[in-house]
Amino acid sequence: MHIDLLFGGITYEHEISIVSAIALLGKINRGEVIIDNCIFLDSNHDFYLIPKSNMKTKYFSSYDYKKSKKLEISRGGFYEIGLLGKKKQISNNTVLNLIHGADGEDGCIAGLLDFYNISYAGPRIEPSVLTYNKHLTKLYAKECGVETLPFILFRKTEKTPQIPFDFPIIIKPATLGSSIGISIAKSPSDLSYCLDSAFEFCDEVIIEPFKKGIKEYNLAGAKIGGEFVFSMIEEVSKKEFLGFEDKYLDFSRTDKVSEAVLDEGIIATLKESFMKLYNDKFCGAIIRCDFFVLDSVVYINEINPVPGSMANYLFSDFENLLKNLLSSLPKKHHINVSYRYVNQLNSAKGK
């Protein structure tokens, strides 16, 4: 089974996406899934075909990637443009979406690939829109019957918010992951600075109470052939608050993953909550849900529709999972345009 990796994008998580692709390239090596092409989307929204031998971080940070072949996207796949402008299709493989944040998780790439009838593994447009915005995620979780921490939505254009929670509080940009722009206001005197920090990245923020002693657990999985496949449940070992560097600088390593030791009831609730959130909307994607547990109550913190390195480190046999996922991707409903009604209209008018 042959795939192409698609990574990069115009996003605050651009570099994470590069590391994700490099990490995954090193994990898939048994031959059940074969990576043929690495396709990089740069900050100008230009596509490049990156030789696998050049899949190193310095190749991108030095801008040497611009020496690679430039590609264009068109019907059915990606094409190389020849000297006479002739297009040559490089493959018709399924594309694995590894773009984190904007472009990859907001629905843009899903829409582009759908538009050009390109097969892909990853979240479709609707779940991307729901999970890219933390406010919509919380509303969606509520409709699914999954608990969330209390919160308020505050916009940059509004006056100073009335905080209904005791301090400390946590302030998050509504449309960013990876702990970017997130800070803790320990007292009202911190509020203005924390809001300004978040508003550098987004015009809307989510404000929640900061709960000391809360436990965090990550669970990844997918629905394949009508059955859910789950990863191990990871207990997140952390300081008071995980920043960007804590979460991502070495996420490709597996030696730090700690499998949670949990009561069977909590395990069942975590999996049940995952299934409610995934349902049929995320079919075709491996997602990771980040949960909080406080006083035996499970809360959803975040849904990651394109998790770092596809959360491969949480699965005992990731390559087999990916192979099975690629064999059961959702198909877009075909619309037949026949012009029947236009022709009837013209006949009625005698034209």
Side-chain angles (χ1 to χ4, degrees):
M1 193 164 291
H2 296 255
I3 63 170
D4 297 334
L5 301 185
L6 177 61
F7 62 103
I10 301 181
T11 164
Y12 289 110
E13 298 171 67
H14 178 92
E15 293 163 79
I16 299 169
S17 180
I18 293 172
V19 176
S20 233
I22 293 171
L24 204 60
L25 190 62
K27 294 289 181 183
I28 299 176
N29 52 29
R30 293 208 316 253
E32 295 182 25
V33 178
I34 297 170
I35 298 171
D36 283 342
N37 300 296
C38 299
I39 301 170
F40 177 58
L41 179 61
D42 79 348
S43 57
N44 292 318
H45 271 171
D46 291 324
F47 294 101
Y48 290 87
L49 179 61
I50 308 298
K52 284 190 276 188
S53 60
N54 288 332
M55 286 289 286
K56 301 176 179 65
T57 52
K58 192 174 180 181
Y59 190 71
F60 300 96
S61 62
S62 64
Y63 293 91
D64 281 346
Y65 74 83
K66 288 183 176 288
K67 300 173 185 176
S68 298
K69 293 177 181 177
K70 211 168 183 179
L71 301 175
E72 286 189 4
I73 189 170
S74 190
R75 181 169 179 80
F78 290 87
Y79 294 78
E80 181 185 340
I81 309 302
L83 291 175
L84 301 178
K86 214 170 187 179
K87 293 182 178 180
K88 177 186 176 184
Q89 188 169 5
I90 63 166
S91 79
N92 60 354
N93 295 334
T94 294
V95 169
L96 180 59
N97 175 15
L98 281 175
I99 300 177
H100 307 304
D103 280 348
E105 292 180 309
D106 61 4
C108 286
I109 284 296
L112 187 66
L113 296 174
D114 277 336
F115 184 83
Y116 284 114
N117 196 30
I118 299 171
S119 172
Y120 66 99
R124 272 47 195 169
I125 296 173
E126 183 181 359
S128 296
V129 172
L130 285 173
T131 53
Y132 183 65
N133 185 299
K134 290 180 173 63
H135 182 218
L136 296 181
T137 301
K138 287 179 177 289
L139 297 179
Y140 171 65
K142 181 180 178 182
E143 288 300 314
C144 292
V146 177
E147 295 282 349
T148 71
L149 290 176
F151 72 97
I152 61 170
L153 176 71
F154 182 64
R155 297 180 175 89
K156 192 174 184 178
T157 53
E158 297 174 343
K159 297 179 180 179
T160 304
Q162 296 297 313
I163 307 298
F165 320 119
D166 294 332
F167 283 81
I169 58 174
I170 189 163
I171 298 170
K172 309 174 181 180
T175 57
L176 281 176
S178 308
S179 299
I180 299 171
I182 296 178
S183 55
I184 299 169
K186 295 185 177 180
S187 68
S189 61
D190 298 331
L191 184 59
S192 179
Y193 173 80
C194 291
L195 286 172
D196 286 345
S197 296
F199 285 140
E200 287 184 21
F201 301 97
C202 183
D203 290 340
E204 292 184 340
V205 300
I206 294 291
I207 302 175
E208 298 174 337
F210 180 74
K211 302 287 188 179
K212 286 190 176 180
I214 202 165
K215 295 286 189 179
E216 186 172 350
Y217 300 98
N218 295 339
L219 175 62
K223 189 177 183 181
I224 300 173
E227 299 292 331
F228 280 95
V229 180
F230 294 108
S231 71
M232 61 170 272
I233 298 173
E234 176 191 17
E235 181 173 357
V236 181
S237 301
K238 63 179 183 177
K239 303 178 292 185
E240 179 181 62
F241 170 67
L242 281 182
F244 177 89
E245 290 83 1
D246 300 306
K247 287 181 71 174
Y248 286 103
L249 284 187
D250 63 350
F251 69 49
S252 62
R253 294 180 61 183
T254 61
D255 58 328
K256 291 187 178 181
V257 174
S258 175
E259 184 166 8
V261 178
L262 288 166
D263 178 87
E264 288 299 323
I266 295 296
I267 293 174
T269 303
L270 288 168
K271 290 183 176 181
E272 181 183 359
S273 298
F274 184 99
M275 290 188 287
K276 286 179 178 178
L277 294 166
Y278 191 106
N279 58 63
D280 288 329
K281 291 191 183 300
F282 287 95
C283 284
I286 298 168
I287 73 169
R288 194 190 76 226
C289 289
D290 301 350
F291 292 102
F292 289 143
V293 177
L294 182 65
D295 298 328
S296 298
V297 179
V298 172
Y299 303 88
I300 181 64
N301 176 39
E302 190 172 31
I303 302 172
N304 293 278
V306 185
S309 64
M310 299 305 295
N312 72 84
Y313 50 89
L314 295 178
F315 294 94
S316 59
D317 191 352
F318 176 77
E319 198 164 343
N320 188 57
L321 168 70
L322 183 57
K323 180 189 72 171
N324 292 335
L325 179 79
L326 294 169
S327 299
S328 60
L329 295 175
K331 299 194 184 308
K332 194 173 180 182
H333 183 70
H334 177 71
I335 298 174
N336 182 33
V337 179
S338 65
Y339 295 105
R340 179 163 57 97
Y341 297 111
V342 171
N343 291 333
Q344 288 177 351
L345 183 62
N346 286 339
S347 295
K349 290 182 176 181
K351 295 183 180 179

